[in-house]
Amino acid sequence: SSDEETLRIISRTLSIHEQRYQNQYKKKKPTYRIMTLSGCSRFLSTGETTDHFVGFRPFTPVERKIIFGNMLKAAKENRYFIPLLLSDSSLDQRYSLVCYEKLGVSIDAKDTDYDIFNGYRSVFLMLPEFTDQYMEYYLDILVRERCYSRQRSLEILEELYRTFLKENALTE
C-alpha cells in the first residue's frame, strides 16, 4: 500500500541522514558542504537550520557553539571535509539537495518543517543518471564557479563564529 511504501521510504531516508551526519566530518574522500553566509548567520542567531525538524527546539547558544565549532575544527583536521560559502549573496536557496553517492538525491523545500502530519513529503530520486548529473553540476558549477575558495570560506566562517562567541559571551 501507499502508506507502507511511505513508511519504508521514511525509514530508509532516516537511516541515510543519520549515517551522513555521523560520517561527514571523518570521511576520507571529498565531502563538500555548500552554505550561504545568510544561512550560517541565521543558524547562529536563531539556533535553527534550514532542515530543522518541527519536533526539535532551536539549538541553544552553547549548542550552536559546539555545532559550529565542530564544523570548523573538522575542516582544520580533515582535508577531505570542505565547507564552502556561496560567493553570490543574492542567490536564493529554494531547495535543499543532498546527494548520496550511488543511492540518489534527496530534495526538500527550503525551510520546510518536516512535519509529515501536515502533509509534508520528501522526494528521494533513486535514479543513477540524475545523481551523476547532479554531482557533475555540484562539483563543476557550484564548487568551482559559485563558491569562495576553501581558505576564504573558512576565514569568513571563523570571523562569523568569533563574532557569535563575543555577542553571546562564550569562549572558544
Side-chain angles (χ1 to χ4, degrees):
S1 83
S2 178
D3 287 344
E4 289 173 7
E5 172 118 354
T6 300
L7 290 174
R8 185 183 63 77
I9 291 171
I10 290 170
S11 176
R12 180 72 176 131
T13 302
L14 287 174
S15 68
I16 291 169
H17 276 284
E18 178 64 21
Q19 181 180 354
R20 177 177 67 108
Y21 282 111
Q22 295 300 325
N23 293 334
Q24 66 180 330
Y25 295 144
K26 296 187 179 0
K27 287 183 183 175
K28 297 300 180 204
K29 63 182 188 176
T31 302
Y32 296 88
R33 179 188 289 178
I34 295 179
M35 304 169 287
T36 62
L37 184 57
S38 62
C40 291
S41 297
R42 185 174 52 250
F43 169 72
L44 289 173
S45 66
T46 68
E48 293 186 2
T49 63
T50 54
D51 63 350
H52 209 82
F53 176 66
V54 68
F56 292 161
R57 62 169 171 70
F59 293 106
T60 66
V62 171
E63 290 167 335
R64 290 176 236 166
K65 172 189 168 187
I66 292 167
I67 292 166
F68 212 83
N70 283 344
M71 176 188 65
L72 294 173
K73 182 177 181 237
K76 291 175 188 170
E77 293 176 356
N78 182 359
R79 65 186 172 102
Y80 295 107
F81 175 65
I82 307 163
L84 298 174
L85 287 172
L86 285 168
S87 55
D88 184 350
S89 62
S90 69
L91 287 176
D92 184 36
Q93 173 192 352
R94 295 188 186 144
Y95 300 95
S96 291
L97 285 89
V98 178
C99 184
Y100 300 97
E101 191 176 25
K102 299 178 185 166
L103 291 173
V105 177
S106 174
I107 303 172
D108 299 291
K110 173 187 171 182
D111 298 331
T112 184
D113 67 5
Y114 291 83
D115 188 346
I116 294 169
F117 298 108
N118 286 337
Y120 167 74
R121 293 198 180 209
S122 183
V123 175
F124 192 80
L125 297 176
M126 294 186 274
L127 299 170
E129 298 83 11
F130 179 79
T131 304
D132 292 344
Q133 289 174 354
Y134 174 66
M135 279 303 293
E136 185 177 319
Y137 168 76
Y138 190 94
L139 294 172
D140 290 346
I141 305 299
L142 288 179
V143 169
R144 192 168 45 85
E145 295 180 15
R146 304 279 184 164
C147 290
Y148 289 115
S149 69
R150 183 181 199 274
Q151 179 180 341
R152 182 66 185 131
S153 292
L154 286 173
E155 290 169 0
I156 295 168
L157 290 169
E158 286 171 355
E159 179 60 32
L160 185 66
Y161 184 59
R162 282 192 296 274
T163 301
F164 162 77
L165 293 175
K166 184 178 177 184
E167 288 174 353
N168 289 276
L170 298 167
T171 58
E172 280 190 68

